[in-house]
Amino acid sequence: MPELPEVETVVRALRRPLIGRTITEMRNYWPRHLVGVTLSEFQRRVHGRSITAINRRAKYLIFSLNDGQSLIIHLKMSGHLAVVDQDTPPDKHVHTIWGLDNGRELRFRDTRKFGRVQLVENTMEALGHLGPEPLEPAFTVEVLLERLQKRKRALKPLLLDQTFVAGIGNIYADEALFHAGIHPERRANTLTPTEIADLHAAIQKVLQMGIEREGASIQTYVKPDGKKGDMQNAVAVFRRTGAPCYNCGSVIQRIKLGGRSTHFCPTCQH
DNA sequence: ACCGGAGCCTGTTAGC
DNA sequence: TGCTAACAGGCTCCGG
């Protein structure tokens, strides 16, 4: 479900209701959600701690606690976070709950149960494998060029590789390649400098658009308040198989690449 | 390095 | 309508 823009939207929505709050309890009904720490240890280590900041790295949410620990959550395909009153009726897909000092709760709902929750002392250590943040100033055209030239893979699966560049998922990879006019099967080391500059601009453009539109509610994603984002109304190719390209009218094609559905315009992308 | 496939889960949709 | 297979905004592991 969520990629960089969706996770960023969730982070922004959770700051107001959560920053400054103290965690008073933690419950879990699906132990495999918890990474590396048992529930009892998790409870002991978060009980009484307050949330001082909420940030994002790639598709991970990072909740900073006042003792230096970080609560890290990955929503994977179907995760959803919401802050609700503690008397809100239970939901069968809510697997982890953190009670707060104001009678409210942070609830992690995750239908497919792929999501993960961890508690770490050192965030850099836990997330150090990730590639550059595509919207940070450090992610320049030169950085992208240098990384692309070392690789021979098809571009689409490379963009999904979180160690190559962090935060891009299936929607924004397809959208970025369309806006750059580059075919998803093109080999990384065959791009011209102009194409690399176009790809760099397209990556930043589609991610920024996704954030401005508060995410793409194409399948199950909704914001913490339950409302839909708006990016689904601005996609050019993703899940538009068989429909006409907005640019040239050609029929949008769908192929499998790296095991993932890939959508592109056969006329606009080379 | 890179590729494909399986696995993790449940729910929805497409096809017969 | 009913059954089955395919598919889903992610990621990891394993073998080749």
Side-chain angles (χ1 to χ4, degrees):
Chain A
M1 166 169 89
E3 308 180 28
L4 186 157
E6 288 73 29
V7 177
E8 180 65 27
T9 301
V10 173
V11 163
R12 292 180 183 187
L14 292 179
R15 283 188 179 127
R16 193 180 301 273
L18 288 182
I19 290 178
R21 297 264 67 91
T22 296
I23 297 170
T24 56
E25 63 159 339
M26 175 177 176
R27 284 171 278 154
N28 172 269
Y29 309 100
W30 182 255
R32 291 158 78 172
H33 259 169
L34 310 181
V35 176
V37 186
T38 62
L39 177 59
S40 57
E41 186 186 348
F42 220 123
Q43 289 168 325
R44 182 176 59 73
R45 287 170 57 185
V46 298
H47 187 261
R49 308 304 194 283
S50 63
I51 299 167
T52 58
I54 308 176
N55 289 293
R56 178 192 59 74
R57 170 80 170 103
K59 301 171 193 171
Y60 294 84
L61 295 104
I62 304 168
F63 300 75
S64 301
L65 305 184
N66 63 333
D67 64 349
Q69 297 183 99
S70 294
L71 173 62
I72 298 178
I73 297 179
H74 198 304
L75 302 173
K76 291 286 182 86
M77 295 288 266
S78 60
H80 179 261
L81 289 166
V83 179
V84 299
D85 287 327
Q86 59 189 10
D87 56 7
T88 301
D91 175 313
K92 75 170 188 173
H93 296 301
V94 170
H95 304 117
T96 307
I97 297 174
W98 291 270
L100 306 170
D101 59 349
N102 62 348
R104 292 173 74 80
E105 295 178 340
L106 172 63
R107 293 186 179 179
F108 185 17
R109 187 180 74 218
D110 185 9
T111 309
R112 293 181 69 182
K113 298 176 174 168
F114 290 169
R116 291 294 178 262
V117 179
Q118 52 186 320
L119 189 64
V120 303
E121 302 281 355
N122 186 335
T123 309
M124 288 299 107
E125 193 179 306
L127 303 181
H129 62 289
L130 295 166
E133 278 291 322
L135 294 179
E136 290 293 310
F139 182 69
T140 60
V141 175
E142 292 70 33
V143 166
L144 180 62
L145 182 143
E146 187 245 341
R147 295 176 81 84
L148 283 170
Q149 287 180 337
K150 288 189 288 198
R151 303 297 210 103
K152 295 178 181 173
R153 300 182 72 180
L155 269 178
K156 169 67 186 281
L158 190 59
L159 290 178
L160 295 181
D161 180 347
Q162 300 299 296
T163 67
F164 180 77
V165 54
I168 298 174
N170 214 26
I171 296 178
Y172 296 92
D174 283 3
E175 292 299 307
L177 288 168
F178 172 80
H179 285 282
I182 302 171
H183 195 285
E185 291 181 291
R186 277 285 294 284
R187 301 281 147 179
N189 61 354
T190 68
L191 296 199
T192 66
T194 304
E195 286 175 322
I196 292 170
D198 289 348
L199 179 60
H200 180 268
I203 288 170
Q204 294 197 330
K205 173 182 164 178
V206 298
L207 293 175
Q208 203 60 59
M209 201 189 312
I211 291 171
E212 282 162 16
R213 290 174 176 263
E214 300 187 293
S217 295
I218 288 174
Q219 201 181 354
T220 61
Y221 166 80
V222 288
K223 296 183 280 178
D225 66 7
K227 294 177 181 161
K228 290 183 174 184
D230 189 42
M231 184 62 189
Q232 68 278 11
N233 299 313
V235 295
V237 288
F238 189 77
R239 299 246 200 132
R240 292 197 63 247
T241 314
C245 172
Y246 295 130
N247 188 42
C248 74
S250 298
V251 174
I252 301 300
Q253 306 288 308
R254 174 177 174 271
I255 57 173
K256 276 268 189 212
L257 251 186
R260 310 295 302 278
S261 280
T262 298
H263 315 75
F264 66 100
C265 172
T267 304
C268 296
Q269 297 176 248
H270 298 282

